[in-house]
């Protein structure tokens, strides 16, 4: 049995006690005043503190702590002051609840990060492409501005949001610090994803608009404007679904934590759904914008879109891991 560093609470308020209790594994024979002193000390150091108690002497400590836990046999005063009341004998439920809470927060953090990344990606792409590209300069019969029909935007969100339902069943890492769920940390995590995915989509739009020059060696015929719209629709749909596999592992590579089988199944369904819509959508005009599935004249673009998305996904995951490494090394977001 390993040696435990124990401190006697009856030594309070001596200087020796104040000096030693921070490094103690157990503080025994402690009463309410001792607990309050320790809580105050930890809170001044921005350390989250939880306390268990069962009697009237523990009420002040239970109310002062970040999380006060009263035992099932606690007095009414202790129950009123506590945040959590155990309904069964023993403390095993504390450990179980703590692990569940960390898993839940991990899923929430993963979901928020992915949602913010995909919405930022689509918004930036639509804004930049509207002003940075003039399709008519590449082909005379193309419109002056690149735009999506609104139904395409809705369908992209539907496909990706449907896949996001799987987050609740995913395998996640138990987070060790709840402070890393703050918005400042989440924003720093999504920046690598947003930058890489936006640049990849803009580059894909350029390749599609200049297909007769840039893609002529890949057995791709000169693309109609409707094919360009559907190719970009397919690329964004695929990349945002694949992006979740990078986001969910945080600082690790996507292959270092296997997803739950429900995540893999739902991802396959959504990828197939996005591919079918981008490939076989009927040719025509929708909201004044020419559209047409890639099967109508450029079937090879479906395969090249998949290859491009996979390559972009690997690069995005590599950039993400590098960004996490730099943040930890230089303590950019106080993650150490």
């Amino acid at each position: 049995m390993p040696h435990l560093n124990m401190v006697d609470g009856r030594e309070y308020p001596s200087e020796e006690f104040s000096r030693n209790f921070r490094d103690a594994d157990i503080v025994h024979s402690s009463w309410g005043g001792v607990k309050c002193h320790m809580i105050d000390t930890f809170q001044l150091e921005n350390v989250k503190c939880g306390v268990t108690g069962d009697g009237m002497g523990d009420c002040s400590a239970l109310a002062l702590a970040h999380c006060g836990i009263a035992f099932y046999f606690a007095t009414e005063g202790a129950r009123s002051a506590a945040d959590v009341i155990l309904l069964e004998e023993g403390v095993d439920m504390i450990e179980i609840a703590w692990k569940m809470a960390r898993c839940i927060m991990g899923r929430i953090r993963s979901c928020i990060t992915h949602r913010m990344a995909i919405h930022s990606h689509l918004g930036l792409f639509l804004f930049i492409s509207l002003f940075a590209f003039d399709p008519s300069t590449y082909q005379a019969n193309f419109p002056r501005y690149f735009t999506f029909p609104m139904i395409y935007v809705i369908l992209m969100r539907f496909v990706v949001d449907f896949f996001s339902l799987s987050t609740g069943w995913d395998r996640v890492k138990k987070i060790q610090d709840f402070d890393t769920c703050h918005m400042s940390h989440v924003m720093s995590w999504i920046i690598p994803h947003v930058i890489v995915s936006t640049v990849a989509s803009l580059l894909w739009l350029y390749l599609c608009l200049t297909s007769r020059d840039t893609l002529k060696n890949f057995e791709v015929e000169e693309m109609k404007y409707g094919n360009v719209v559907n190719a970009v629709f397919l690329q964004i749909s695929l990349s945002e679904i694949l992006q979740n596999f990078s986001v969910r592992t945080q600082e690790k590579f996507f292959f270092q934590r296997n997803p739950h089988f429900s995540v893999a199944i739902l991802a396959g369904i959504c990828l197939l759904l996005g591919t079918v819509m981008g490939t076989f959508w009927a040719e025509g005009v929708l909201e004044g914008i020419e559209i047409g599935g890639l099967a109508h004249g450029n079937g090879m673009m479906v395969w090249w879109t998949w290859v491009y998305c996979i390559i972009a996904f690997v690069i995005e995951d590599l950039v993400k891991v590098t960004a996490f490494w730099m943040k930890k090394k230089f303590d950019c977001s106080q993650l150490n």
Side-chain angles (χ1 to χ4, degrees), residues 252-288:
K252 296 183 178 181
F253 289 104
F254 71 94
F255 53 81
Q256 290 184 285
R257 189 184 309 136
N258 295 329
H260 193 268
F261 74 93
S262 61
V263 176
I265 292 174
L266 207 54
I269 294 173
C270 293
L271 289 170
L272 178 61
L273 186 60
T275 302
V276 169
M277 288 191 292
T279 305
F280 299 105
W281 197 286
E283 290 185 303
V285 177
L286 184 62
E287 301 175 14

Side-chain angles (χ1 to χ4, degrees), residues 128-200:
I128 296 174
S129 62
L130 182 64
F131 297 100
F133 291 93
D134 182 358
S136 62
T137 61
Y138 302 102
Q139 291 193 40
N141 61 333
F142 282 5
R144 185 175 178 182
Y145 298 102
F146 177 81
T147 55
F148 266 136
M150 183 55 64
I151 187 64
Y152 271 36
V153 177
I154 295 173
L155 287 173
M156 278 191 288
R157 293 279 67 84
F158 170 77
V159 171
V160 178
D161 290 350
F162 182 66
F163 172 60
S164 297
L165 295 175
S166 63
T167 304
W169 295 279
D170 195 14
R171 298 188 180 98
V172 295
K173 175 184 177 182
K174 302 182 186 70
I175 63 173
Q176 301 301 317
D177 186 359
F178 284 89
D179 287 339
T180 59
C181 296
H182 291 173
M183 189 57 64
S184 59
H185 291 277
V186 175
M187 289 298 296
S188 68
W189 295 335
I190 71 169
I191 288 175
H193 296 287
V194 173
I195 292 176
V196 176
S197 59
T198 302
V199 171

Side-chain angles (χ1 to χ4, degrees), residues 66-218:
H66 289 98
C67 180
I69 304 174
F71 292 110
Y72 84 105
F73 50 80
T75 62
E76 288 300 323
R79 287 170 174 258
S80 299
D83 301 297
V84 179
I85 302 173
L86 300 181
L87 301 179
E88 296 179 0
E89 185 176 358
V91 295
D92 294 342
M93 291 304 299
I94 298 178
E95 180 183 3
I96 295 173
W98 193 253
K99 290 181 178 179
M100 289 179 62
R102 289 180 178 273
C103 288
I104 291 171
M105 287 302 297
R107 291 190 177 97
I108 292 174
R109 186 176 66 180
S110 177
C111 182
I112 291 176
T113 306
H114 183 229
R115 301 279 297 184
M116 292 182 65
I118 62 176
H119 289 304
S120 301
H121 162 221
L122 182 59
L124 279 175
F125 169 77
L126 293 176
F127 179 80
I128 296 174
S129 62
L130 182 64
F131 297 100
F133 291 93
D134 182 358
S136 62
T137 61
Y138 302 102
Q139 291 193 40
N141 61 333
F142 282 5
R144 185 175 178 182
Y145 298 102
F146 177 81
T147 55
F148 266 136
M150 183 55 64
I151 187 64
Y152 271 36
V153 177
I154 295 173
L155 287 173
M156 278 191 288
R157 293 279 67 84
F158 170 77
V159 171
V160 178
D161 290 350
F162 182 66
F163 172 60
S164 297
L165 295 175
S166 63
T167 304
W169 295 279
D170 195 14
R171 298 188 180 98
V172 295
K173 175 184 177 182
K174 302 182 186 70
I175 63 173
Q176 301 301 317
D177 186 359
F178 284 89
D179 287 339
T180 59
C181 296
H182 291 173
M183 189 57 64
S184 59
H185 291 277
V186 175
M187 289 298 296
S188 68
W189 295 335
I190 71 169
I191 288 175
H193 296 287
V194 173
I195 292 176
V196 176
S197 59
T198 302
V199 171
S201 296
L202 292 171
L203 177 59
W204 186 244
L205 173 59
Y206 172 77
L207 293 175
C208 292
L209 291 173
T210 60
S211 58
R212 60 182 176 185
D213 298 321
T214 56
L215 301 178
K216 61 182 179 180
N217 295 327
F218 296 93

